């Protein structure tokens, strides 16, 4: 697990990185879908080798590509997942009730995407502001009537907001912390824009679930870091913020939602849930390098099983198509070396992706109606985190004997 060559320094604590967590080879940017007229062009590939810091245990990918290149125009629109919208609405209702938010309150969301979340606060008449660096995605939110700043968030952005008199009673960041190359700049900005007495919530996939359930496909260049509760607490603490509550969520294969406040704010005592999860992580060994040592070998085993299944299906003359074109699917396909010879095509509800080709694998993306035209024997669910939603949407494949294949944590076939 220890490498002979040091690969940069930890983006939080600055410790030299010398311990590999997993090596997924070379891969293109997972959201860089290819138009048909550019199929003849070369794609850039970058190392997808992840390290763990032996001081703070932050699992991280070196920033081979900057955020400007990845997020200035982005292919991910949150509102295409019905289950994610329902999750966002439940969160909004819970926070409004818990914090007593009203017409004089201010909600701010960083990485607000297409307004999937803030729309539920706006409908209740609560002033809301989104901050989203991808102009194409922000435009969708603006069209919904959600004020959105098109910029990257950090100290400078936060200082400008404060100078304008904008501070947040509720500051939200859903699945953004992983996508920040400069963690300290970002978290310092959060501390600035959070009003005294305000509450910060962050949602992120839980590293413990990633390891336990072999979720290696959630690793890609857009995700620079992978977090445990303990590491997030340390990062926030360094910037004067205290985690006072935590919830476990089923989203994205198992996530945490932390609630934090200024360290000087006495109004939100630390709950037993925080203490219990700290103890759970410690007893599982997340504060020792041994915990991370076996992950790479388990990932290679999963790759072998999936490729073997697809090759056997091809030998038997079975047709296999994919459902979804998520970033995680592109990590999976490229790491496993799966192209159109093994996966004929995939479908996605997002019109932005339809008619394009997946990065690296060059698998074509169609609208979901393609499934009914070709009647595949197997439908490989690439966004396995919304497996039940997809199985319900595509239950009609059973009419011709079609079955679902779920690749993570290990290959499962379900009727």
């Amino acid at each position: 697990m220890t490498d002979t060559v040091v690969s940069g320094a930890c983006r939080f604590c600055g410790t030299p990185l010398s311990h590999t967590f997993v090596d997924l080879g070379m891969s293109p940017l997972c959201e860089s879908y290819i138009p048909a007229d550019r199929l003849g062009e070369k794609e850039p590939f970058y190392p997808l080798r992840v390290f763990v810091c032996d001081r703070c245990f932050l699992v991280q990918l070196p920033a081979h590509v900057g955020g400007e290149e990845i997020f200035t125009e982005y292919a991910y629109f949150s509102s295409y997942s019905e289950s994610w919208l329902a999750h966002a609405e439940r969160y909004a209702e819970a926070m409004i009730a818990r914090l007593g938010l009203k017409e004089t309150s201010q909600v701010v969301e960083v990485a607000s995407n297409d307004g999937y979340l803030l729309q539920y606060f706006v409908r209740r008449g609560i002033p809301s502001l989104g901050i989203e660096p991808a102009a194409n995605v922000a435009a969708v939110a603006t069209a919904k009537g959600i004020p959105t700043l098109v910029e990257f968030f950090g100290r400078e952005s936060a200082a400008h907001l404060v100078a304008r008199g904008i501070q947040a009673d509720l500051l939200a960041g859903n699945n953004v912390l992983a996508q920040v190359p400069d963690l300290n700049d970002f978290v310092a900005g959060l501390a600035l824009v959070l009003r005294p007495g305000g509450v910060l919530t962050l949602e992120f996939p839980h590293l413990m679930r990633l390891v336990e359930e072999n979720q290696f496909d959630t690793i890609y260049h857009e995700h620079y870091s992978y977090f445990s509760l303990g590491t997030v607490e340390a990062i926030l603490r360094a910037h004067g913020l205290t985690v006072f509550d935590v919830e476990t969520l089923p989203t994205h294969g198992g996530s945490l939602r932390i609630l934090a406040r200024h360290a000087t704010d006495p109004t939100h005592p630390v709950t037993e849930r925080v203490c219990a999860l700290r103890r759970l992580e410690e007893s599982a060994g997340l504060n020792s390098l041994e915990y991370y040592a076996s992950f790479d070998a388990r990932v290679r085993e999963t790759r072998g099983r999936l490729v073997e299944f697809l090759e056997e299906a091809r030998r038997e003359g079975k047709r296999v198509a994919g459902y979804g074109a998520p970033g995680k699917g592109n990590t999976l396909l490229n790491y496993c070396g799966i192209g159109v010879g093994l996966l004929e095509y995939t479908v996605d509800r997002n019109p932005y992706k339809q008619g394009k080709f997946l990065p690296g694998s060059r698998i074509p993306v169609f609208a979901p109606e393609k499934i009914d035209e070709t009647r595949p024997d197997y439908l490989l669910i690439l966004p396995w985190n919304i497996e039940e939603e997809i199985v319900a949407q595509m239950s009609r494949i059973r009419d011709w004997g079609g079955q679902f294949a779920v690749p993570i944590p290990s290959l499962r076939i379900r009727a």
Side-chain angles (χ1 to χ4, degrees), residues 27-36 38-39 41 43-45 75 321-334 338-340 343-348 350 352-366 380-383:
S27 186
L29 299 181
C30 74
E31 295 285 350
S32 299
Y33 298 87
I34 305 167
R38 289 177 50 198
L39 278 175
E41 298 178 13
E43 282 180 88
F45 279 62
Y323 190 99
K328 59 167 54 75
N330 292 324
T331 290
L332 177 77
L333 297 173
N334 283 296
I338 296 168
V340 291
L343 190 67
E344 189 175 332
Y345 64 86
T346 192
V347 301
D348 200 277
N350 184 349
Y352 188 89
K353 299 178 182 181
Q354 294 167 10
K356 294 188 172 80
F357 295 77
L358 299 184
S361 66
R362 305 296 179 98
I363 292 169
V365 184
F366 296 98
L380 180 66
I381 298 178
L382 296 174

Side-chain angles (χ1 to χ4, degrees), residues 71-364:
F71 299 114
T72 300
E73 182 172 357
Y74 203 46
Y76 180 74
F77 293 76
S78 297
S79 293
Y80 284 108
S81 170
E82 293 172 5
S83 60
W84 185 244
L85 286 177
H87 170 76
E89 186 171 15
R90 287 192 300 270
Y91 164 88
E93 294 300 324
M95 288 299 106
I96 290 168
R98 181 170 183 171
L99 304 181
L101 300 175
K102 50 188 181 295
E103 293 81 359
T104 56
S105 304
Q106 177 69 62
V107 177
V108 175
E109 184 186 13
V110 292
S112 52
N113 202 262
D114 60 5
Y116 75 99
L117 174 66
L118 291 181
Q119 62 184 334
Y120 299 112
F121 292 97
V122 170
R123 289 177 191 176
R124 294 284 295 272
I126 299 170
S128 301
L129 176 67
I131 303 170
E132 170 56 51
N136 64 315
V137 179
V140 176
T142 302
K144 295 176 183 176
I146 300 163
T148 305
L149 298 178
V150 181
E151 60 188 37
F152 286 91
F153 182 80
R155 281 188 183 94
E156 185 178 351
S157 173
H160 289 160
L161 290 173
V162 173
R164 292 169 49 194
I166 298 174
Q167 285 189 289
D169 297 289
L170 172 62
L171 178 57
N174 287 345
N175 299 300
V176 60
L177 200 60
Q179 298 177 326
V180 176
D182 190 340
L183 269 179
N184 289 308
D185 178 71
F186 182 83
V187 177
L190 295 177
L192 275 175
V193 86
L194 183 65
R195 190 188 305 279
V199 170
L200 163 70
T201 72
L202 296 172
E203 293 184 21
F204 49 88
H206 191 192
L207 175 64
M208 189 171 172
R209 290 288 296 276
L210 184 154
V211 173
E212 289 179 349
E213 299 182 18
N214 203 29
Q215 298 170 1
F216 69 90
D217 59 340
T218 61
I219 295 169
Y220 35 89
H221 298 103
E222 288 86 336
H223 285 177
Y224 299 103
S225 305
Y226 305 83
F227 300 99
S228 63
L229 171 66
T231 301
V232 165
E233 282 196 288
I235 294 167
L236 294 183
R237 189 183 308 119
H239 296 279
L241 298 169
T242 297
V243 175
F244 68 86
D245 201 1
V246 62
E247 301 173 46
T248 56
L249 307 169
T251 53
H252 295 287
S255 296
L256 299 181
R257 175 189 292 149
I258 63 96
L259 287 79
R261 53 165 168 81
H262 288 290
T264 53
D265 176 8
T267 59
H268 298 287
V270 176
T271 67
E272 171 57 25
R273 289 196 291 191
V274 175
C275 302
L277 187 52
R278 276 192 209 130
R279 292 192 296 268
L280 181 64
E281 289 188 348
E282 288 169 4
S283 64
L286 269 74
N287 294 336
S288 68
L289 287 174
E290 288 75 19
Y291 178 82
Y292 305 91
S294 63
F295 188 67
D296 192 77
R298 285 165 39 212
V299 168
R300 289 196 298 271
E301 183 178 342
T302 299
R303 174 178 62 184
R305 289 177 179 171
L306 177 59
V307 172
E308 182 181 3
F309 160 72
L310 293 173
E311 288 179 340
E312 183 177 350
R314 179 176 59 182
R315 286 193 297 270
E316 294 176 352
K318 304 287 189 181
R319 300 187 75 172
V320 185
Y323 190 99
K328 59 167 54 75
N330 292 324
T331 290
L332 177 77
L333 297 173
N334 283 296
Y335 173 65
C336 295
I338 296 168
V340 291
L342 294 178
L343 190 67
E344 189 175 332
Y345 64 86
T346 192
V347 301
D348 200 277
R349 296 177 67 193
N350 184 349
Y352 188 89
K353 299 178 182 181
Q354 294 167 10
K356 294 188 172 80
F357 295 77
L358 299 184
S361 66
R362 305 296 179 98
I363 292 169

Side-chain angles (χ1 to χ4, degrees), residues 8-66:
C10 174
R11 65 171 41 90
F12 168 53
C13 71
T15 301
L17 297 172
S18 59
H19 300 277
T20 297
F21 172 59
V22 67
D23 189 348
L24 300 177
M26 301 290 288
S27 186
L29 299 181
C30 74
E31 295 285 350
S32 299
Y33 298 87
I34 305 167
D37 60 1
R38 289 177 50 198
L39 278 175
E41 298 178 13
K42 272 189 173 182
E43 282 180 88
F45 279 62
Y46 306 93
L48 203 52
R49 187 180 188 183
V50 186
F51 297 85
V52 58
C53 175
D54 59 15
R55 180 182 176 192
C56 70
F57 299 102
L58 177 65
V59 172
Q60 58 200 282
L61 179 70
H64 299 293
V65 187

